[in-house]
């Protein structure tokens, strides 16, 4: 993700720009600096001295301490999700950012994707009417390395959390979560994890939601959403990488995205530009620390539901 964000800052962003890269490993820092033609450092303190804002895309366990250090130095922070795999640490980090008065944005990129943003705006404008059903799918083409899985926080915190954030953002607060999961690959079961899940939601407004997720769809990367209302239905399908359709007798074929990087290049640029505008103009970031905490809590509830086989009720914020 560090390379994804650096590439966006170097070539796609219109407001934000890459000023310096940091990595504790000298070879990695130097290589990134050369690739993106910017200064590099192995000292986080030096990085904070050079810039007014940081984009943190380091291993999950370092997100919270790096954010807290930047906040203490008065630097604005864009941080990849999750803030932490521990709730108490997540809360403490969000509060530290709030007390420091910095802009703190978390990387739930779908809120900045043109397709999802356009649909959400029309829903908020009342064009959909009352939401009755929310459905979304997130399916990876191939599973990650097992070495990554051991520190990912589990399927719900690593994968489903994106859809849970979209659910809150597009429809509203969730009052009940009921999740079902399975491991089609024995490697996942050996880690006490799953690779496929269906999560059923009840929203405070009365709507229902269904989320399906897979780590190994095999055919490609898919992310799609549908929101049904009393006046209309919004549907966002997985777009094709190119506009060409190849036709032969009895068959028409088009390419599919292979991963999130190929699907969302402009969303990653747009979320960083939104962060830069929040820093520059004081506009609200699209995803706050409190939003990330809410999605985290829903993911924990989904994990609990899967393990216990029972639905979990959620407290709705006042």
């Amino acid at each position: 993700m560090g390379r994804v964000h650096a590439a966006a800052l170097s070539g796609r962003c219109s407001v934000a720009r890459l000023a310096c890269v940091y990595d504790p490993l000298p070879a990695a820092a130097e290589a990134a600096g050369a690739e993106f033609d910017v200064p590099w450092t192995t000292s986080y303190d030096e990085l904070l001295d050079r810039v007014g804002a940081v984009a943190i895309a380091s291993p999950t366990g370092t997100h919270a301490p790096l954010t807290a250090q930047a906040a203490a130095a008065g630097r604005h922070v864009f941080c990849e999700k999750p803030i932490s795999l521990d709730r108490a640490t997540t809360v403490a980090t969000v509060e530290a950012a709030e007390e420091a008065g910095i802009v703190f944005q978390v990387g739930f990129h779908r809120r900045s994707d043109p397709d999802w943003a356009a649909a959400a705006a029309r829903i908020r404008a009342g064009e959909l009417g009352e939401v009755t059903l929310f459905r979304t799918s997130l399916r990876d083409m191939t599973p990650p390395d097992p070495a990554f899985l051991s520190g990912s926080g589990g399927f719900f915190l690593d994968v489903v959390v994106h859809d849970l954030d979209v659910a809150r953002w597009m429809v509203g607060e969730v009052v009940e979560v009921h999740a079902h999961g399975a491991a089609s690959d024995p490697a996942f079961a050996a880690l006490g994890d799953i690779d496929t899940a269906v999560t059923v939601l009840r929203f405070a407004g009365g709507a229902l939601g269904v989320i399906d997720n897979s780590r190994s769809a095999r055919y490609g990367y898919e992310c799609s959403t549908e929101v049904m209302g009393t006046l209309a239905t919004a549907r966002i399908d997985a777009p094709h990488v190119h506009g060409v359709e190849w036709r032969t007798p009895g068959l028409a074929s088009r390419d599919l995205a292979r991963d999130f990087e190929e699907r969302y290049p402009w969303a990653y640029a747009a979320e960083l530009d939104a962060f830069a505008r929040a820093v520059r103009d004081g506009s609200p970031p699209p995803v706050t620390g409190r939003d990330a905490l809410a999605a985290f809590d829903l993911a924990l509830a989904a994990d609990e539901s899967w393990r216990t086989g029972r639905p979990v009720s959620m407290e709705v914020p006042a």
Side-chain angles (χ1 to χ4, degrees):
M1 284 309 303
R3 182 161 275 99
V4 169
H5 289 315
L9 287 164
S10 296
R12 294 191 182 95
C13 290
S14 59
V15 181
R17 69 178 182 85
L18 186 65
C20 183
V21 292
Y22 155 76
D23 195 294
L25 301 177
E30 183 176 12
E35 179 179 354
F36 298 108
D37 193 27
V38 293
W40 58 274
T41 180
T42 59
S43 167
Y44 192 54
D45 287 327
E46 181 183 344
L47 178 77
L48 295 179
D49 287 339
R50 284 176 171 266
V51 301
V54 295
I56 298 173
S58 52
T60 296
T62 65
H63 289 179
L66 290 177
T67 296
Q69 186 176 344
R75 303 298 185 263
H76 305 286
V77 176
F78 172 93
C79 181
E80 265 305 315
K81 66 86 187 170
I83 298 170
S84 171
L85 297 180
D86 173 72
R87 191 182 192 279
T89 302
T90 300
V91 172
T93 305
V94 172
E95 291 177 346
E98 291 173 344
E99 291 170 7
I102 64 163
V103 174
F104 182 39
Q105 181 177 325
V106 182
F108 284 99
H109 58 275
R110 250 183 281 170
R111 293 197 186 204
S112 295
D113 181 82
D115 295 336
W116 270 270
R122 296 184 71 171
I123 291 171
R124 280 167 175 66
E127 294 183 50
L128 195 83
E130 296 296 320
V131 176
T132 57
L133 179 66
F134 169 85
R135 181 212 57 79
T136 194
S137 300
L138 176 57
R139 304 169 188 171
D140 290 324
M141 181 175 180
T142 54
D145 189 301
F148 165 79
L149 293 175
S150 60
S152 69
F155 191 75
F156 294 99
L157 278 174
D158 185 48
V159 178
V160 188
V161 68
H162 279 287
D163 294 302
L164 294 168
D165 176 68
V166 169
R168 284 189 66 247
W169 173 53
M170 298 190 84
V171 181
E173 298 297 343
V174 175
V175 296
E176 185 181 270
V177 179
H178 197 175
H180 308 268
S184 61
D185 186 335
F188 290 89
L191 292 167
D193 203 357
I194 56 176
D195 58 13
T196 308
V198 173
T199 306
V200 179
L201 308 175
R202 288 187 180 273
F203 293 91
L208 298 177
V210 180
I211 301 171
D212 75 81
N213 304 93
S214 172
R215 281 202 185 272
S216 53
R218 304 299 177 184
Y219 60 85
Y221 177 87
E222 178 175 339
C223 191
S224 61
T225 294
E226 186 175 40
V227 187
M228 293 177 61
T230 53
L231 299 178
T233 293
R235 178 177 294 169
I236 306 160
D237 288 320
H240 300 281
V241 181
H242 302 101
V244 176
E245 181 177 84
W246 191 261
R247 296 187 177 189
T248 55
L251 178 67
S253 61
R254 298 187 68 179
D255 57 6
L256 296 171
R258 295 182 59 85
D259 55 31
F260 57 85
E261 184 176 0
E262 196 168 46
R263 167 60 181 87
Y264 287 112
W266 296 107
Y268 292 125
E271 68 177 350
L272 288 165
D273 273 341
F275 172 62
R277 282 190 291 269
V279 170
R280 185 190 64 186
D281 306 330
S283 56
V287 187
T288 67
R290 294 289 170 179
D291 289 324
L293 177 60
F296 180 89
D297 284 340
L298 288 171
L300 288 182
D303 187 81
E304 178 187 342
S305 175
W306 161 58
R307 294 182 187 279
T308 63
R310 297 190 297 270
V312 175
S313 297
M314 306 297 300
E315 291 187 13
V316 178

